[in-house]
Structure formats: C-alpha cells, structure tokens
Amino acid sequence: MSESVELLRVEGVRKTFPGVVALDSVDFDLRSGEVHVLLGENGAGKSTLIKMLSGAYRPDSGRIFARGQEVRIHGAQDAEKLGIATIYQEFNLVPDLTVAENIFLGRQPRRYGLIDRRRMEAAAEVLLHRVGLHVSPRAKIRELGIARLQMVEIAKALSLEARVLIMDEPTAVLTSEEVDRLFRIVRRLREDGVGIVFITHHLDEIAALGDRVTVLRDGRSIDQVPASTPQTELVQLMVGRSIDQQYPRERADAGEPLLSVRGLSRGGVFHDISFEVRAGEVVGLAGLVGAGRTEVARAVFGADPYDAGTIEVRGEPLGKHDVTAARNAGIGLVPEDRKGQGLVLDASVQENLGLVTLRAASRSGLVDLKGQRTAAARIAEQLGVRMAGLGQHVRTLSGGNQQKVVIGKWLLADTRVLILDEPTRGIDVGAKVEIYQLINELTASGHAVLMISSDLPEVLGMSDRVLVMAQGRIAGELPADRATQDAVMALAVGSTPATERTERTERIENEEEGPRGH
C-alpha cells in the first residue's frame, strides 16, 4: 500500500437551519487507507456533516480541503469529481432496473449513440466480483435483499473510482454473517488505499474495524481518539455523562394477562404460536432473522392475516385481520421500519403524534386542533422529544426522536399492550437508555410490552421473560434469571420440536456453572 496521504480535511464548518445549529466549528480529517469512525448521538450532526461532504448541503462558514486544495462542493457531481461517494441508510437504487444499470446509472457506456449493454454488464461483473457479490449483472434490484443491495452500492461507488467512501449505518439491518462479509470488503478497500468514513451506533464495531474516532456532540467536534478507546469513555464523550446502567430494567411482579395468544398459525410463516403478556412485564421475542417474529407481531396487531388460533386482550376475543379492532382494544405497534410504516415524514410532530387519536378527537367531521396540540405538547415534553417546535417536520428529527414520536402516538391513544419491533435500531446509546427508561415507566403504570429485537444483549437486559422463535415456531421460553446468550442461541438455531428444544435448553442451563448474568 502506498504512503498514507490526507484525502479530506474539514476546518471550522458551521451549518444552521431555522431554529437549529446543526454544526458549529466542526473539524474532521480523513487519510488514505484508514477507517475513520464518526460517532455521536442522533442529532449530534453526523448526517449534516456527511451531506456537506456529498454536496447535499453547503456550509454557512468554514473550509473543506481535498488533497490539500480548498474546494467548494455544490452538488453530487462536484463530490463525484473529487472521488467522494456516499452510501446512505436509504439506498439510492432504482428497483425496476438491473444491477448493471444501477451501477452505471447516468454514465452508461455507449456505442454508436446506443447503450453498450455488453460492455456495461462486463464492467459491472468485474466490480461485483471485487466486492464479493455473486449475482448476475442482469438481475433486477427488486429481487435482491438488503445485504446485496449494499454490495451493489459499494460496487457503484467503486465504478466512480471513489477514493473516499462514506458509509452511514451500513450494518443497521444486517445479520452477523453479513456484517462479517461487509467488514472483509471494507478492510480490502482500506488496503487499496481508500479512505472510509464509517458511521455506526454499534460500539463493538469500532475497535473491530476502525483506526480513529471523531466524536460529535450537539453539533461540535468534541474529541478525536484511537479506535481502541474503551467503550465507557466513548459513551461519556458522546453523551457528556457516564451511563452507569446500560439496561435499567426495573422488574416487578406481573399482573393479570393483558394479551393472550393461542395456537396462532399462518401457512408457511408461523405455526402454533401461544404466549401471554401480563400487566407490568416486558416479554422479549428473540430469534434469528427470518424466524417469523415480525410476522407474528403484525398478525397480533391485525396488519396481516392468520389461518388459525385466537387472540384475546384482557380476556376479550379480538377479530382477525382488523387493525381498528386491535387499536380499539388497546394494542399498539411500533414497527421495525419507523420511517416507512410508523411515520408520515413530511407531516409535523404534532400531526404524527395525533395520527392514532385523530378520529376520536373529531366532532361532526371537525378535528379539535387545540385539544390535539395540547395533548401532543404534553406527550412530547413527557418523552423529551428534542425539536424546534410541534410544527417541525418529523423527517428532520434525529432517529431517536423519531422513535419517541412513534411511541408517543400510542401513549396518546392510551395503549395497554405495546408491541415494539426493533425499538432501538439505528439509535445511539444515549437515546437507547431513554427508550428503556420509557419502557420501565410504561410497565410501572400497568402496561404490557412485547419487545422484538435482534440485539440479544438488549433482549436479555430488558425482558422479564424471553420467548425464542425458530423456523416459525416458539422454540422455548426462558425467565430472566436463566436467559443467557448461549441458552437463547441454542434455541434459536435448533431444528428439533419445541418440547425437545426446551428440554435441551434446561439441560444447558443445569450444566452451566456460576451465577447467570445478562
């Protein structure tokens, strides 16, 4: 690898929006052949900084240098000419076009004025091989899963001969195997001299992949430290305080069953699902991706149909495939895709908080706007939503504050059973603790929570009981004091019937020595 050179430097950049200082005197630099992690809470200014580097925003003041020369980045084309490519959480791909067409979109090789498909597909194949993606260049983008879409985005960046690659939360929706594959590609790019700006909320990824870390807080660059810095120190730099307890679960005796599910089945998706969630408890639903957890949650909420089984809320039967009935019975669902399914992004905070209660707040076809605003203000204050005001568009909020708004709309509706699907995905550690404390407040006031999460420490830390799903079935149940990562994974990867798997887990637990922690 050639000697490391400075690819980018940002000096004292500032960016403001109406009522908000997004960046204030931020410094940052990137060298060739390094992974420089950009760390900070949601709303710390990370997205604003990378959008400035990619040409989406222009700084109000400050300077940007590329290879030692001061530059102006006024749009995506300017960034492209400087060798800067950005892969956002929301991929910039066209579903109905092929992989090759997406890689070379707007830059297709031509012959005699026509697109030279053979040359384009051959070039795409070379790039796909470089990132280790074994798909046809002729495959349609809509046919690919999230991990493969990400590889296509990387191949697209390489087609631009990018020397700076910005990756915004690239591991947020990947399995551990897919993360390992992505890390191998990132390390290979680093060896080739590419400079990589890597944004993540998973602190364990920093030491595994990073070289340096720049920490942003409240729009300012707080410090630059080695990637080997202990996680406790990184957290303190991020949030400005120490977090003594990452999972502050306050357990108490559970009350009456609020949600009872019996024999729920849907052909080819899940089978014979039975469980209860009681007042005052958090029941975790764990399992590998594809085990059927989200599908069960959506069926309970009435969003998806099911073939057999019953659902009761506080002893009263609930009709099939009826969201309105579920909502009226006191069930709320915070979906895993908060932007796509939980929010109206171009509506205000107030409008989003009032979505569920809109009909109840209407009289003779007219909405009680004053009452809605008062209620929205109360919930926003209770949840600590950081915003310029109730009229601010939800799209402009940080991920953690968007999640608070999704939860808040169900609190306004006096929801008794709240289903949380991946409640802290893409949320920084400080906001996570705030969400956990909110869960504690809900259960302390007699609500019941069913929590689905792929973050196993989160499930173990916050659940009173853990249900483990495997291949569309409940593989077993573990109380909090017996739930360990090994015990959960033994159930999650099993292929034997549920009763045998439960017995096997009990044997594993009995063979373990010493106290069982989380």
Side-chain angles (χ1 to χ4, degrees), residues 486-504:
D486 288 344
V488 171
M489 289 307 298
L491 291 169
V493 302
S495 56
T496 51
T499 53
E500 294 177 28
R501 277 177 285 187
T502 302
E503 291 169 3
R504 181 179 63 186

Side-chain angles (χ1 to χ4, degrees), residues 267-287:
V269 182
F270 50 81
H271 181 71
D272 196 24
I273 303 297
S274 299
F275 63 88
E276 285 185 343
V277 188
R278 295 175 172 270
E281 74 170 347
V282 177
V283 173
L285 194 55

Side-chain angles (χ1 to χ4, degrees), residues 474-495:
I474 298 284
E477 177 181 322
L478 297 164
D481 60 350
R482 295 185 182 180
T484 64
Q485 294 203 26
D486 288 344
V488 171
M489 289 307 298
L491 291 169
V493 302
S495 56

Side-chain angles (χ1 to χ4, degrees), residues 132-144:
L133 180 56
H134 305 293
V135 300
S136 168
R138 299 178 182 177
K140 290 286 179 68
I141 283 294
R142 67 167 62 255
E143 298 169 1
L144 306 182

Side-chain angles (χ1 to χ4, degrees), residues 320-339:
K320 286 185 178 182
H321 199 192
D322 189 341
V323 170
T324 301
R327 198 167 58 200
N328 291 341
I331 299 179
L333 171 65
V334 175
E336 60 177 339
D337 179 7
R338 63 174 171 266
K339 290 185 178 180

